[in-house]
Amino acid sequence: MEKEDGLGLIQIYTGDGKGKTTAALGLAMRAAGHDFKIAIIQFMKIWNYGEIKSLRRLGIDLFRYGTREFVDPKNPSPIDFDQARRALSKAEELMRKGDYDVLILDEINVAVDFNLIALKRVVDLLDKKPHNLELVLTGRNCPQELIERADLVSIIDEIKHPYKKGVEARKGIEF
Amino acid sequence: MEKEDGLGLIQIYTGDGKGKTTAALGLAMRAAGHDFKIAIIQFMKIWNYGEIKSLRRLGIDLFRYGTREFVDPKNPSPIDFDQARRALSKAEELMRKGDYDVLILDEINVAVDFNLIALKRVVDLLDKKPHNLELVLTGRNCPQELIERADLVSIIDEIKHPYKKGVEARKGIEF
């Protein structure tokens, strides 16, 4: 074990550009190399991500909520609400148990922005973060109340995007 | 093999925020899950990164150049020049051989910005990119000539940074 005790921060990856979840995956991969115990909770979507196989190889635990469909922000389905709430409960549970060194809440910012989960519960989660836990939140449109509680906020913007040129999402690179 | 033939893009991660190399690592991890063949060339630094162990587990090849010291942009050492040039030669060689699906040139933008390698040679590299290769460049201060040739440029900025609050880099998270 190269692991050492230390301060865990609250990190947020937000912005309209690509790379938020990807950066969180890279962070998980780096931490895995130090034998940290890492969990990722997906709040908004379930795809057949290529990373699932890699996460398994690295011993990173993945908890998947959401559906295969994009959530309609104007009209989320009861399933969307249910899935996002279960994801949040799982986050609360894992934090309470304290088994993990790094906890990544993927797309939680969007779940809050879409009102699938209450901002107050997420604020409470951040306020109760154990000293040693590294907590990572991803997703665009991160609410100000969360940003204020973060130690590090990375905003990813894009200059160009291949989708705008008509290139479709490619297996192994974007998903 | 889930791999499929397709267009490979030129992606750039730049900006002053944290997460550029991390995003590239996440991209590599995702691609590894699809059994893509991936190489990462480090241009500027050699640390005992936690990710080295994870890269090995995922079958991602890593070519390390640079030194353990930070390069002084006003006075790079002969070793800095030599290492950066060897890294670029390796990139040219790997691209020519065509064995890889994804090639990540980590901190190459900085190597150009510090004039350790000639911008023109990197421009040539981009212009000669094989159709199927995904080419990823990271590092702050990316020259405009490279941005113009990219399909996707992600700019990572930061709002807050824990270093500014006096927190030191922590093993397993930042390196």
Side-chain angles (χ1 to χ4, degrees), chain A residues 24-88:
Chain A
L25 286 173
L27 185 150
M29 177 178 158
R30 177 176 286 155
H34 286 280
D35 297 324
F36 279 46
K37 193 128 176 52
I38 304 143
I40 302 176
I41 301 177
Q42 287 186 307
F43 273 71
M44 293 286 291
K45 56 188 180 192
I46 295 178
W47 300 102
N48 292 317
Y49 285 121
E51 58 261 37
I52 291 175
K53 200 193 287 184
S54 293
L55 290 173
R56 209 173 291 138
R57 280 186 206 161
L58 295 175
I60 297 168
D61 291 332
L62 178 65
F63 302 90
R64 312 174 79 193
Y65 298 92
T67 71
R68 285 175 189 276
E69 308 297 323
F70 281 109
V71 176
D72 177 358
K74 288 175 190 156
N75 187 26
S77 76
I79 296 173
D80 296 328
F81 282 102
D82 178 61
Q83 287 289 305
R85 284 167 188 168
R86 287 177 56 194
L88 183 56

Side-chain angles (χ1 to χ4, degrees), chain B residues 95-151:
Chain B
M95 223 174 74
R96 211 164 42 235
K97 285 186 179 168
D99 292 336
Y100 290 97
D101 304 299
V102 179
L103 181 57
I104 295 171
L105 309 179
D106 188 50
E107 301 288 2
I108 189 173
N109 301 340
V110 182
V112 174
D113 185 51
F114 285 7
N115 289 312
L116 297 181
I117 51 176
L119 173 61
K120 188 181 176 323
R121 255 177 86 184
V122 181
V123 166
D124 284 349
L125 190 83
L126 268 50
D127 287 343
K128 285 177 190 157
K129 185 191 79 66
H131 180 76
N132 288 338
L133 179 70
E134 189 84 13
L135 190 61
V136 183
L137 286 66
T138 79
R140 64 177 66 196
N141 296 334
C142 186
Q144 192 57 35
E145 289 86 344
L146 303 182
I147 286 178
E148 284 165 8
R149 281 164 173 81
D151 300 290

Side-chain angles (χ1 to χ4, degrees), chain A residues 30-160:
Chain A
R30 177 176 286 155
H34 286 280
D35 297 324
F36 279 46
K37 193 128 176 52
I38 304 143
I40 302 176
I41 301 177
Q42 287 186 307
F43 273 71
M44 293 286 291
K45 56 188 180 192
I46 295 178
W47 300 102
N48 292 317
Y49 285 121
E51 58 261 37
I52 291 175
K53 200 193 287 184
S54 293
L55 290 173
R56 209 173 291 138
R57 280 186 206 161
L58 295 175
I60 297 168
D61 291 332
L62 178 65
F63 302 90
R64 312 174 79 193
Y65 298 92
T67 71
R68 285 175 189 276
E69 308 297 323
F70 281 109
V71 176
D72 177 358
K74 288 175 190 156
N75 187 26
S77 76
I79 296 173
D80 296 328
F81 282 102
D82 178 61
Q83 287 289 305
R85 284 167 188 168
R86 287 177 56 194
L88 183 56
S89 295
K90 176 57 77 178
E92 292 165 344
E93 178 200 325
L94 295 185
M95 223 174 74
R96 212 165 40 234
K97 286 187 178 166
D99 293 336
Y100 290 97
D101 304 299
V102 180
L103 181 57
I104 295 172
L105 308 179
D106 188 49
E107 301 287 4
I108 189 173
N109 301 340
V110 183
V112 174
D113 186 51
F114 285 8
N115 289 311
L116 297 181
I117 51 176
L119 172 60
K120 185 179 178 327
R121 256 177 85 184
V122 181
V123 166
D124 284 349
L125 190 82
L126 268 52
D127 287 343
K128 285 178 190 154
K129 186 191 82 62
H131 180 76
N132 288 340
L133 178 70
E134 188 85 13
L135 191 60
V136 183
L137 286 67
T138 79
R140 64 176 67 196
N141 296 334
C142 186
Q144 192 58 35
E145 290 86 345
L146 303 183
I147 286 178
E148 285 165 6
R149 281 166 175 80
D151 301 289
L152 171 57
V153 181
S154 296
I155 314 250
I156 305 188
D157 287 316
E158 65 182 26
I159 297 187
K160 300 180 188 179

Side-chain angles (χ1 to χ4, degrees), chain A residues 2 4 7-9 11 13 18-19 21-23 25-27 29-36 50-51 53-55 57-58 102 134 147-148 150-162 165 167 170-175, chain B residues 2 4 7-9 11 13 18-19 21-23 25-27 29-36 50-51 53-55 57-58 102 134 147-148 150-162 165 167 170-175:
Chain A
E2 297 181 271
E4 56 190 348
L7 174 66
L9 302 179
Q11 293 199 33
Y13 289 93
K18 254 174 56 72
T21 292
T22 312
L25 286 173
L27 185 150
M29 177 178 158
R30 177 176 286 155
H34 286 280
D35 297 324
F36 279 46
E51 58 261 37
K53 200 193 287 184
S54 293
L55 290 173
R57 280 186 206 161
L58 295 175
V102 180
E134 188 85 13
I147 286 178
E148 285 165 6
D151 301 289
L152 171 57
V153 181
S154 296
I155 314 250
I156 305 188
D157 287 316
E158 65 182 26
I159 297 187
K160 300 180 188 179
H161 197 296
K165 292 205 269 176
V167 178
R170 295 149 307 142
K171 180 155 65 177
I173 304 295
E174 271 103 24
F175 66 94
Chain B
E2 298 181 272
E4 56 189 349
L7 174 64
L9 303 180
Q11 295 198 33
Y13 289 93
K18 255 176 53 73
T21 292
T22 312
L25 286 174
L27 185 150
M29 178 177 156
R30 178 176 283 152
H34 287 279
D35 297 324
F36 280 45
E51 59 260 38
K53 201 192 285 182
S54 294
L55 291 171
R57 282 188 205 159
L58 296 174
V102 179
E134 189 84 13
I147 286 178
E148 284 165 8
D151 300 290
L152 171 57
V153 181
S154 296
I155 315 251
I156 305 187
D157 287 315
E158 66 182 24
I159 297 186
K160 299 183 191 180
H161 198 297
K165 293 204 270 176
V167 179
R170 295 151 306 144
K171 180 153 67 176
I173 304 296
E174 273 102 25
F175 65 96

